[in-house]
Amino acid sequence: MHIEKIELRHIKMVLVSPFVTSMGTEYDEEHIIVRVDADGVTGWGESVAEGTPFYSYETVQTAWHILKDFLIPSILGKDIASVDEAIASYAKVRGHMMAKAGLEAALWDAFAKTRNIPLSKMLGGTRNKIDVGVSIGIQSSVGELLKKVEGYLGEGYKRIKIKISPGYDLQFVEALRKEFPRLLLQVDANSAYTLSDINIFKQMDDYNLQLIEQPLGYEDIYDHSKLQRELKTPICLDESIHSLDDTRAAIELDSCRIINIKPGRVGGYTESKLIHDYCASMNIPVWHGGMLESGIGRAGNVALASLPNFLLPGDISASKRYYKEDIVEPEFVVNPDGTMDVPTKPGIGVEVNMKMLEKVTVRSEEYKQ
Ligand code: OSB
Ligand code: MG
């Protein structure tokens, strides 16, 4: 595939409601859309680096710099036979997983379109529908949370994840469990606690949670192994996992018993697949996380989540749960049975709505050979 042209767009989309986590409050989401033109097809990807370095050290600005000055020059104007070949050409760039994943996603889409097959098939997906859940930010009161959960359950979502932070934890879990005894429920702390908070987690252990996501340090693997030892509820790592190597360390140390896969956090679909396959071989279930993506990133997430070891519902919700209008057509919807259809058209399987994309673009740049 001859890489003729690459375009970056810094986008900013306003969330339908603010998303509150232990990391702060997000009112809108800034990402980078990557467009690759090659051999008469257009591939699309989304880099999930955010406007702020609060979830990850990467930001839109750092990802833009790495893409523009290192990743794009390594493939622009060249003939690339496979995604692996592109990855090899920028392998000496350390870290910057979200920058890499955005470009890799656009290349996967372009290759799938050249081969005229859906991305899901190209990645090794085996399902035509995936189970989906919803991630709910910290609410101001138990009453507010119950109302939100009821609404989402009414739309079909198969499981609920709530964000927690010190002072906003046990009372929410207890109230939800009381109201919905059989609900598939999990919590995500985004690294808001330390081992000295172990008693909170020991109490949480009594509420039959599906998992506790990233309770401790955002790069930690060791302390999580000490916490997991004291709990029957599985710990799931998100922030701490950037690679297959991290995954092996976490599983061999029994730091977690479930892995959250986000392609942006691990550098792309290629590393995601390696993690998926390794976890399958170790009987460790994985599920697909989310970064409040636009429809472009979401399309890739849905395709990846169609692989067989994605055994728990993903943080992959309907377009309208995030944004009033998405930048793809058709928008992503949740079926009444809590599933989402995996696109069957070539590549990401949805069309980019150029008018909407233009509306949310705050800066763009084009690179030609
Ligand atoms: O920790 O999973 C997380 C969003 C931004 C940054 C980190 C996280 C999240 C979410 C949102 O939980 C999940 C979604 O996209 O629905
Ligand atoms: Mg998380």
Side-chain angles (χ1 to χ4, degrees):
M1 199 165 70
H2 186 71
I3 311 293
E4 287 145 33
K5 190 172 86 182
I6 299 182
E7 180 192 65
L8 300 181
R9 282 172 185 261
H10 175 173
I11 60 162
K12 183 171 181 162
M13 292 172 73
V14 178
L15 290 161
V16 288
S17 57
F19 191 60
V20 184
T21 72
S22 64
M23 305 174 287
T25 303
E26 293 188 73
Y27 297 90
D28 43 47
E29 197 62 19
E30 295 180 62
H31 286 166
I32 298 173
I33 298 300
V34 182
R35 171 183 173 153
V36 171
D37 284 283
D39 290 359
V41 302
T42 298
W44 296 95
E46 180 165 345
S47 173
V48 297
E50 301 185 292
T52 53
F54 302 154
Y55 167 79
S56 153
Y57 67 86
E58 292 188 79
T59 64
V60 166
Q61 298 298 335
T62 70
W64 192 286
H65 160 53
I66 295 298
L67 279 158
K68 174 180 177 170
D69 296 325
F70 296 99
L71 308 182
I72 291 173
S74 77
I75 59 167
L76 190 64
K78 302 215 171 109
D79 286 301
I80 302 288
S82 64
V83 174
D84 282 346
E85 198 180 310
I87 294 171
S89 78
Y90 55 73
K92 65 181 179 196
V93 177
R94 294 183 179 177
H96 299 284
M97 302 314 200
M98 293 173 174
K100 289 173 179 169
L103 181 59
E104 205 197 293
L107 292 170
W108 275 98
D109 182 32
F111 274 108
K113 282 171 175 162
T114 335
R115 290 171 57 181
N116 208 27
I117 58 170
L119 179 59
S120 152
K121 189 151 273 157
M122 184 145 156
L123 289 169
T126 52
R127 301 191 183 93
N128 54 19
K129 284 173 194 300
I130 57 162
D131 289 338
V132 296
V134 64
S135 170
I136 304 179
I138 296 169
Q139 302 297 307
S140 51
S141 67
V142 163
E144 279 302 307
L145 177 61
L146 290 175
K147 237 176 24 207
K148 281 234 156 161
V149 169
E150 221 160 303
Y152 286 129
L153 292 178
E155 291 176 42
Y157 287 103
K158 291 216 173 177
R159 71 93 174 111
I160 298 292
K161 153 171 150 182
I162 62 166
K163 295 289 188 177
I164 56 168
S165 78
Y168 299 85
D169 41 36
L170 284 169
Q171 73 274 37
F172 290 110
V173 170
E174 187 183 9
L176 276 180
R177 199 30 103 217
K178 199 164 151 213
E179 189 75 18
F180 307 101
R182 287 150 45 92
L183 174 65
L184 271 186
L185 177 63
Q186 59 195 57
V187 297
D188 186 359
N190 290 111
S191 298
Y193 300 85
T194 67
L195 266 185
S196 64
D197 298 309
I198 192 160
N199 281 330
I200 294 176
F201 296 105
K202 283 189 170 162
Q203 283 170 266
M204 257 186 218
D205 225 7
D206 295 333
Y207 291 103
N208 190 26
L209 298 178
Q210 176 157 257
L211 58 87
I212 297 171
E213 186 176 344
Q214 197 72 34
L216 310 179
Y218 59 85
E219 297 285 356
D220 172 76
I221 290 183
Y222 182 55
D223 281 355
H224 280 100
S225 76
K226 293 187 176 173
L227 181 60
Q228 179 69 86
R229 213 177 290 162
E230 304 293 323
L231 302 178
K232 53 181 199 284
T233 308
I235 290 176
C236 167
L237 289 180
D238 171 357
E239 279 91 330
S240 294
I241 303 294
H242 302 285
S243 61
L244 174 61
D245 286 347
D246 288 343
T247 309
R248 283 177 34 241
I251 289 169
E252 287 188 22
L253 280 168
D254 193 24
S255 303
C256 67
R257 295 174 184 162
I258 296 175
I259 295 276
N260 166 322
I261 294 183
K262 293 179 183 172
R265 205 192 56 230
V266 303
Y269 302 136
T270 304
E271 193 75 10
S272 299
K273 273 165 57 68
L274 293 174
I275 294 171
H276 166 275
D277 294 352
Y278 169 75
C279 287
S281 77
M282 299 298 284
N283 273 320
I284 297 285
V286 304
W287 59 283
H288 205 299
M291 289 295 293
L292 311 173
E293 286 89 347
S294 80
I296 291 176
R298 191 166 311 285
N301 294 353
V302 173
L304 184 65
S306 73
L307 270 69
N309 195 41
F310 280 85
L311 293 174
L312 309 178
D315 274 352
I316 301 180
S317 311
S319 296
K320 68 166 192 188
R321 174 259 176 275
Y322 308 94
Y323 304 108
K324 197 161 146 255
E325 271 183 290
D326 206 340
I327 59 176
V328 300
E329 289 168 326
E331 297 199 343
F332 285 91
V333 295
V334 171
N335 301 317
D337 68 350
T339 62
M340 193 176 276
D341 297 340
V342 179
T344 54
K345 296 195 175 133
I348 59 172
V350 288
E351 294 297 322
V352 174
N353 179 336
M354 292 306 294
K355 218 172 106 192
M356 268 305 295
L357 176 61
E358 202 53 53
K359 233 165 89 177
V360 300
T361 299
V362 297
R363 171 192 183 198
S364 68
E365 235 169 61
E366 209 177 81
Y367 312 97
K368 281 190 187 156
Q369 53 201 74

